[in-house]
Amino acid sequence: MGRANVSLVNLGCRVNRAELDAIGRELSREGIRIVCRDEAEAIVVNTCAVTSEAQAKTRRALRRAAEEPGVRAIVATGCAASLFSAELEALDPRIVVEPERERVAQRVANLLGLGHDGGGAEADQAFCGGAVTPTGRMRPGLKVQDGCDRRCSYCIVWKARGPARSMPPERVVACVGELISDGAREVVLTGIDLGRYESGGVGLSGLLARILEQTSVGRVRLSSVEPAGVTEELLDLIASSGGRVAPFLHVPLQSGCDATLARMARPYTSEAYARMAERAKAMVPGIALSTDVIVGFPGETDAEFQESHALCASLGFSRLHVFRYSRRPGTAAAAMKSQVDPAVSLERSRRMRALSDACASEFSAALVGTPQLVLCERGCMGTTGGGARVRTDAGLAGSLAWLAPHSSDAAGVLDARGCRIIRQE
C-alpha cells in the first residue's frame, strides 16, 4: 500500500500549534506524508473555542475540508471538538471527533485503512522546504503544561483542557533535544497556564535552567505567563542567560481597570500588574512585554475603558493582542447584566488596536542600529529575541545571527538587509 497524504489545519493559540506539530510528527512516523489541502486524503483540524468567532472559524474550516473532492476522512480535535463534538460531527458524515490529541495520528491511520504500521516506510522528515515543523515553521513549539485551575469568569477553555498538569522535566529536555536534531535553533515552550509549570518539585525557572544546562538549544522562548508567574527567579534567569532565554514575556492583562478585573475574577490589580512590568524592565533591560486585552466586557463603562486604555498606553508594551468580549455558554460572565453593545465593543477594539500599532512601531524603532540576536527564517524574514519581525538577506534561513537593523517601517517591521553579520551563534 502506498503512502497516504494528510493535510493539517490549525486554529487558535500557540498551544494548538505545538499540538498540531506533534500530531504531524506522529503521522510521519506512521508513514503518512504531510501535504497541501488539495492533495489530501484526510484533513486534521485542530479546533478552538476561546471565542464565538473562533468557534465559527472551526465550523468554516470543517466545511471547507468537506468540500475537497479527494478527502475521505476529516478528524476534528482541540477545544471545540472536546466541548461541541455532536455539533461538529453533524456538519458532514466524514467528520470524526477525536478529543484526545495523543490518539489523533492513530485514528487517522485507522480511518485510511493503514493499520498500526502505517502501511509503509517512515515518511521523510524534511518538512516544507527546510522548515523544522510539519506545519512549515522554523520556531517549533513544545507543550510542557496543559490544563488550568483558574476560573476566570469569561473563560471556557478550562472545561475543554481539564486540570493543570505538567510534562516531567527530563522528558522536556529530551523533546528539546529531538527538536534540535530536527534543525531547531529556537524552541517555544507553551502551556495553557505555563507559569504554573511544576513537576517533581521543578518549577518553570528550574525547567529553563535544565534546558540551558543539558541541551545546545540556541534560544528558548516562553509563550505566555500569567502575572504571578513573573518571579524574580525567572527574571534573573532571563537576564543572565546571554540571550539564550528570549528577553520577551507575554503577560495577559485583560483589563487595566480594577473594577473590570474584579468582574473577570482575575487575581491581581492594575497596580500589581504595573509593579510587575516595572520590575521586569528593571531586571532585564530591553525586555519586550506584550499582553492580551479584552474590550467590551460586561459592565465596562466608557470610564472603565478609558482607564484600561490609559494603563496600556503607560506600560510600554511591544504589542497588544486585542479581543472583543465573546459571550461563552456556561460561564459566569455570560449571565452578567449590562452586556456591552457590539458597536461599542467594535469601536473600543479599534482604539486598542491603534494603540497596539503605535506600541509596535515605537518598540521596533528603538531597536534600529542596535545589535539583535535574530533567528533567520524562511522567506527572508526573522525574529528578534523580543519578538520583532526583521527582513533579512537571502541565504540566512536557519541561522541565529547578531544583526543591527538599519530601519523599521510603520508596521514595526525591522530591516536588516545588507547589514554586516556581527556574529553567528
Side-chain angles (χ1 to χ4, degrees):
M1 183 183 297
R3 292 177 180 173
N5 294 335
V6 174
S7 180
L8 306 176
V9 177
N10 187 70
L11 302 168
C13 64
R14 287 181 176 177
V15 175
N16 268 21
R17 288 204 298 265
E19 289 171 338
L20 197 63
D21 286 340
I23 290 169
R25 286 188 169 82
E26 289 197 28
L27 288 169
S28 184
R29 286 194 288 268
E30 291 282 347
I32 293 170
R33 293 187 301 182
I34 309 304
V35 299
C36 298
R37 179 193 304 270
D38 57 3
E39 301 176 53
E41 299 165 65
I43 297 178
V44 176
V45 181
N46 201 14
T47 66
C48 181
V50 68
T51 64
S52 56
E53 181 181 359
Q55 197 173 335
K57 287 180 178 178
T58 287
R59 292 191 295 269
R60 288 197 295 271
L62 290 169
R63 290 192 181 103
R64 184 179 175 192
E67 292 172 357
E68 296 293 341
V71 169
R72 294 190 278 144
I74 303 163
V75 178
T77 190
C79 290
S82 297
L83 294 169
F84 309 108
S85 59
E87 175 188 334
L88 301 187
E89 287 184 329
L91 295 174
D92 190 276
R94 290 167 294 172
I95 294 174
V96 174
V97 167
E98 179 47 79
E100 299 296 330
R101 296 159 185 83
E102 296 79 7
R103 299 179 183 174
V104 169
Q106 188 57 55
R107 191 73 179 270
V108 171
N110 291 341
L111 288 168
L112 294 178
L114 300 180
H116 183 68
D117 63 1
E122 184 170 321
D124 295 337
Q125 290 292 324
F127 299 120
C128 303
V132 176
T133 74
T135 51
R137 295 180 300 112
M138 297 191 74
R139 296 189 294 134
L142 175 61
K143 185 180 74 172
V144 301
Q145 188 277 338
D146 202 354
C148 187
D149 297 328
R150 303 178 192 273
R151 296 294 181 266
C152 299
S153 65
Y154 52 82
C155 187
I156 199 173
V157 172
W158 64 270
K159 294 185 178 183
R161 291 281 178 172
R165 54 209 185 272
S166 301
M167 180 187 289
E170 58 273 12
R171 179 60 186 147
V172 174
V173 169
C175 288
V176 171
E178 292 170 8
L179 292 170
I180 294 170
S181 296
D182 287 343
R185 301 302 309 279
E186 175 178 309
V187 175
V188 183
L189 301 187
T190 69
I192 297 300
D193 193 355
L194 183 60
R196 287 195 175 181
Y197 174 91
E198 194 284 326
S199 179
V202 177
L204 183 58
S205 298
L207 178 67
L208 285 169
R210 288 198 184 194
I211 292 171
L212 297 183
E213 291 167 2
Q214 299 177 25
T215 78
S216 61
V217 68
R219 186 162 69 196
V220 184
R221 185 182 301 273
L222 301 179
S223 61
S224 180
V225 180
E226 289 289 326
V230 184
T231 63
E232 289 194 4
E233 183 182 14
L234 177 61
L235 294 170
D236 272 335
L237 186 67
I238 296 172
S240 63
S241 71
R244 289 188 70 201
V245 180
F248 166 86
L249 287 172
H250 181 83
V251 189
L253 170 63
Q254 308 304 6
S255 175
C257 170
D258 287 345
T260 308
L261 287 171
R263 292 195 302 276
M264 290 177 167
R266 298 289 286 174
Y268 51 84
T269 64
S270 58
E271 182 182 356
Y273 188 101
R275 286 198 303 269
M276 176 277 300
E278 291 166 4
R279 184 172 65 249
K281 291 182 178 182
M283 293 183 66
V284 188
I287 192 171
L289 295 177
S290 66
T291 197
D292 294 334
V293 180
I294 296 172
V295 299
F297 189 79
E300 185 185 62
T301 63
D302 286 342
E304 290 181 354
F305 169 75
Q306 293 287 5
E307 193 175 334
S308 185
H309 188 278
L311 183 69
C312 290
S314 72
L315 291 179
F317 289 118
S318 62
R319 189 174 299 275
L320 290 79
H321 297 262
V322 182
F323 301 88
R324 283 181 285 162
Y325 166 73
S326 179
R327 199 172 189 171
R328 306 308 289 136
T331 62
M336 290 180 181
K337 297 179 180 179
S338 302
Q339 298 285 324
V340 175
D341 185 279
V344 174
S345 292
L346 183 63
E347 174 59 20
R348 290 175 183 171
S349 174
R350 186 195 64 76
R351 288 187 57 192
M352 276 290 191
R353 290 177 189 276
L355 174 61
S356 177
D357 291 344
C359 287
S361 180
E362 183 177 348
F363 173 74
S364 294
L367 303 181
V368 172
T370 67
Q372 299 295 315
L373 184 56
V374 178
L375 176 69
C376 302
E377 303 168 65
R378 299 186 307 152
C380 296
M381 293 296 294
T383 306
T384 70
R389 298 293 284 162
V390 188
R391 293 187 176 90
T392 61
D393 288 324
L396 291 178
S399 66
L400 198 55
W402 287 93
L403 303 170
H406 54 72
S407 61
S408 68
D409 64 20
V413 178
L414 294 161
D415 196 338
R417 290 174 294 185
C419 289
R420 178 180 64 88
I421 298 173
I422 300 169
R423 187 173 78 251
Q424 286 190 292
E425 299 291 339

